[in-house]
Amino acid sequence: MPEQHPVRHDHALPRVVPLPEDDWDTRTRHLLAAVPRDPGGRVPNIFTTLVRHPELYEQFMPFGGQLLRRGRLPGRFRELLILRTSYNTGAPYEWGRHVPLAKASGFTDTDIDRIVRGPEADGWTTLERNLIRAADELNRDARLRDATWEVLTEHFDDAEMIEITMLVGQYHMVGFFLNSVGVQLDPGFDSAGLVEGKADDE
């Protein structure tokens, strides 16, 4: 059966509009104060959209920050899992925001293209190939196969294995949110490279 590629979820207009700064109340300003800003001081759309649910935002941010900024996985492996999950969920916002982070972790343009082509693409190490398989298996089956688990546990301890599954799950959830509400990619970021449409079934 040919590999199925995810459908892109671009919307001409967001279904939920980011909260304009003129409408920020004291609580909103406090919640957004710690967010890293883009060049020019702009708050990314993901945060100004999610903050419309301040209680959820307040609980989500520490968990997301733990995985993204304070996790146990090396940056290269973290971004490999996130970008493959972005591909699997067809999330252009997630892809566009994480390509620069992946490059900061040492990925080249060739590496980024290889992520789209999957675990069988030439050039991966055995470990990287199995991390991509892990992202794919979690996306498809909601669990890791025994063979993938065994390979990964040769390199990662119990806490890191837990983090792998939680990281992929977290970015599935984020992808569902971004795609469904139509969060628009911020100026200066590009989702080029994320494959559109589905492979033909023939």
Side-chain angles (χ1 to χ4, degrees):
M1 182 184 217
E3 180 184 2
Q4 295 295 305
H5 299 294
V7 176
R8 287 279 294 276
H9 296 279
D10 291 321
H11 297 285
L13 294 171
R15 290 170 168 169
V16 178
V17 177
L19 189 64
E21 189 167 359
D22 289 346
D23 294 340
W24 295 1
D25 59 17
T26 300
R27 184 182 188 188
T28 301
R29 292 185 184 281
H30 173 74
L31 290 174
L32 294 175
V35 171
R37 296 189 174 223
D38 289 340
R42 189 178 184 280
V43 178
N45 288 337
I46 184 174
F47 302 122
T48 51
T49 304
L50 185 58
V51 82
R52 286 187 175 278
H53 191 325
E55 296 83 11
L56 185 59
Y57 179 99
E58 197 167 29
Q59 299 302 314
F60 170 85
M61 291 299 288
F63 181 68
Q66 175 65 40
L67 289 169
L68 182 61
R69 304 294 181 192
R70 299 180 296 278
R72 299 191 181 199
L73 298 175
R76 181 177 176 88
F77 296 156
R78 180 193 68 235
E79 293 303 324
L80 179 61
L81 288 164
I82 292 172
L83 282 179
R84 186 61 180 179
T85 301
S86 302
Y87 169 79
N88 284 333
T89 56
Y93 189 97
E94 198 166 84
W95 180 271
R97 295 293 311 200
H98 278 271
V99 164
L101 297 178
K103 289 182 176 180
S105 296
F107 280 88
T108 64
D109 289 336
T110 300
D111 293 328
I112 302 298
D113 177 66
R114 191 182 294 128
I115 291 171
V116 170
R117 290 188 283 120
E120 303 310 319
D122 292 337
W124 295 125
T125 67
T126 299
L127 177 55
E128 290 168 338
R129 196 179 306 278
N130 278 278
L131 284 168
I132 296 172
R133 286 190 180 123
D136 290 355
E137 289 167 11
L138 289 166
N139 176 69
R140 183 182 62 245
D141 305 323
R143 62 177 296 153
L144 297 179
R145 295 182 178 179
D146 288 343
T148 305
W149 181 270
E150 289 170 9
V151 171
L152 294 181
T153 54
E154 294 175 3
H155 301 272
F156 300 110
D157 63 20
D158 289 349
E160 291 165 332
M161 291 299 295
I162 290 170
E163 188 168 313
I164 287 169
T165 62
M166 297 294 279
L167 180 71
V168 173
Q170 154 81 351
Y171 280 91
H172 269 83
M173 179 178 68
V174 172
F176 297 162
F177 157 65
L178 294 168
N179 291 342
S180 295
V181 307
V183 177
Q184 303 293 290
L185 192 55
D186 307 286
F189 293 85
D190 189 357
S191 62
L194 185 65
V195 174
E196 297 188 43
K198 290 187 177 181
D200 293 332
D201 290 334
E202 290 83 27

